[in-house]
Amino acid sequence: MTRNVIVTGGAGYIGSHACKALRAAGYVPVTFDNLSTGWEDAVKFGPFEQGDLLDRVRLDQVFAKYQPVAVMHFAAFSQVGESMKDPGKYWRNNVIGSLTLIEAAVAAGCMNFVFSSTCATYGDQDNVVLDEDSVQLPINSYGASKRAIEDILENFEQAYGLNSVIFRYFNVAGGDPEAEVGEFHQPETHLIPLMLDAISGKRAALTIFGTDYDTPDGTCIRDYVHVCDLVDAHVLGLKWLEDGKGSRVFNLGTGKGFSVREVIDHSRAVTNQEVPYVEGGRRPGDCTKLVSGSERAITELGWRPDRSNLAQMIGDAWRWHQNGHYEK
Ligand SMILES: NC(=O)c1ccc[n+]([C@@H]2O[C@H](COP(=O)([O-])OP(=O)(O)OC[C@H]3O[C@@H](n4cnc5c(N)ncnc54)[C@H](O)[C@@H]3O)[C@@H](O)[C@H]2O)c1
């Protein structure tokens, strides 16, 4: 029997990798995407349905056509800086868009829902390893919008029995080792691709945003997870729901933090090239340190984030970066 999964945001960075993993696991990933930040070229592993989360009629058509066993919901706006300047854009697309999708799923009887949340829901909690029970105190509109969606999912479980697995990602990096899909955001805001752009001369220099944070070298610390490990967790989360294990929240990270300067040092070792960089001021909304406690995903889902080391993440991103990109 065909097991369709609606993948919102399947034309984006993480969603396209999820589609590849879903197909490998025997599902049919149906990408639902409005191509606002995604790429039709990235939809390679199943059907494409163009549409917007805010369009309930279009969502209902797609649910009726595919009768999915689950939804994997990646579609969102996700730039912290932009969310501080234009919060309405984030509340409308992320929260109202997700609410529209969740209502369409419940109306169609599709009661398994996997959601991309973020460590940005925890906010700035210095020197704390963040586990799933840590208090959520987002300091930017992006994180606040994601926490609101988590609340909606909880309420819809109470009211209608919707089962959800919520993944709170730390920093996602790397790419498909076969380079069929990769990271290609425009504009790019993530450290590793920006660094590779600077190395390859696509931009003059990497800007380090803030060198006066309360960290050993003054730059922000983040926990990096390989996108292929991340999407493997999603397939495990889907099986968890199909096995009737109920709603659960999981962090996805490695528990190890690296500063911006440490990432630059690692990239030198991987690419054999210097990273041109300049030092700039802090960006509004950036937290000092975000490091995950991810034991729960390992012990309960059986997740093995074997590829989540900086050498492999930078190496896979570098291979894609030199050859891969998408065209509108
Ligand atoms: N990249 C990271 O490090 C990271 C970290 C934490 C959480 N996340 C979350 O993971 C998810 C995917 O991130 P990504 O880096 O792949 O982003 P992305 O921008 O590459 O992908 C998002 C996709 O969603 C689509 N989309 C956006 N709004 C839509 C709408 N209203 N209707 C239909 N499609 C819409 C875009 O066209 C795009 O293809 C997001 O929810 C993001 O918040 C990402």
Side-chain angles (χ1 to χ4, degrees), residues 56-238:
R56 175 64 192 270
V57 173
R58 183 76 185 109
L59 282 167
D60 287 345
Q61 284 169 353
V62 171
F63 276 99
K65 180 170 171 187
Y66 293 97
Q67 307 279 316
V69 295
V71 175
M72 260 187 206
H73 178 33
F74 297 95
F77 293 144
S78 56
Q79 292 177 37
V80 168
E82 183 187 59
S83 82
M84 300 299 281
K85 290 188 193 126
D86 190 358
K89 179 172 176 180
Y90 280 71
W91 283 87
R92 188 171 304 102
N93 195 56
N94 294 0
V95 180
I96 306 190
S98 296
L99 175 61
T100 311
L101 172 71
I102 291 164
E103 287 182 325
V106 169
C110 177
M111 301 305 255
N112 292 330
F113 199 98
V114 179
F115 173 56
S116 302
S117 189
T118 168
C119 60
T121 61
Y122 293 117
D124 213 354
Q125 303 183 36
D126 280 353
N127 300 318
V128 174
V129 172
L130 299 162
D131 68 21
E132 293 84 351
D133 297 323
S134 300
V135 61
Q136 290 176 288
L137 298 167
I139 62 162
N140 53 60
S141 309
Y142 165 62
S145 75
K146 290 285 184 170
R147 189 186 60 180
I149 300 162
E150 293 193 12
D151 289 345
I152 294 172
L153 287 170
E154 193 181 319
N155 291 172
F156 273 64
E157 176 176 20
Q158 287 154 358
Y160 309 110
L162 177 69
N163 297 305
S164 64
V165 163
I166 294 172
F167 287 118
R168 295 185 190 137
Y169 312 164
F170 284 66
N171 278 57
V172 188
D176 173 22
E178 291 160 359
E180 284 192 273
V181 284
E183 182 167 18
F184 193 58
H185 294 111
Q186 295 226 311
E188 189 54 78
T189 58
H190 294 103
L191 174 62
I192 291 174
L194 286 172
M195 192 177 65
L196 300 181
D197 273 352
I199 290 175
S200 59
K202 289 182 191 161
R203 70 178 57 236
L206 172 76
T207 302
I208 300 179
F209 291 110
T211 53
D212 60 348
Y213 284 98
D214 184 17
T215 60
D217 67 21
T219 63
C220 290
I221 292 178
R222 294 289 181 269
D223 177 342
Y224 294 86
V225 56
H226 195 297
V227 66
C228 294
D229 286 339
L230 184 99
V231 299
D232 283 353
H234 285 63
V235 175
L236 293 169
L238 177 51

Side-chain angles (χ1 to χ4, degrees), residues 12-14 33-34 36-38 52-53 74 93 142 146 172 185:
Y13 167 45
I14 301 171
D33 201 296
N34 66 0
S36 53
T37 61
D52 195 295
L53 292 176
F74 297 95
N93 195 56
Y142 165 62
K146 290 285 184 170
V172 188
H185 294 111

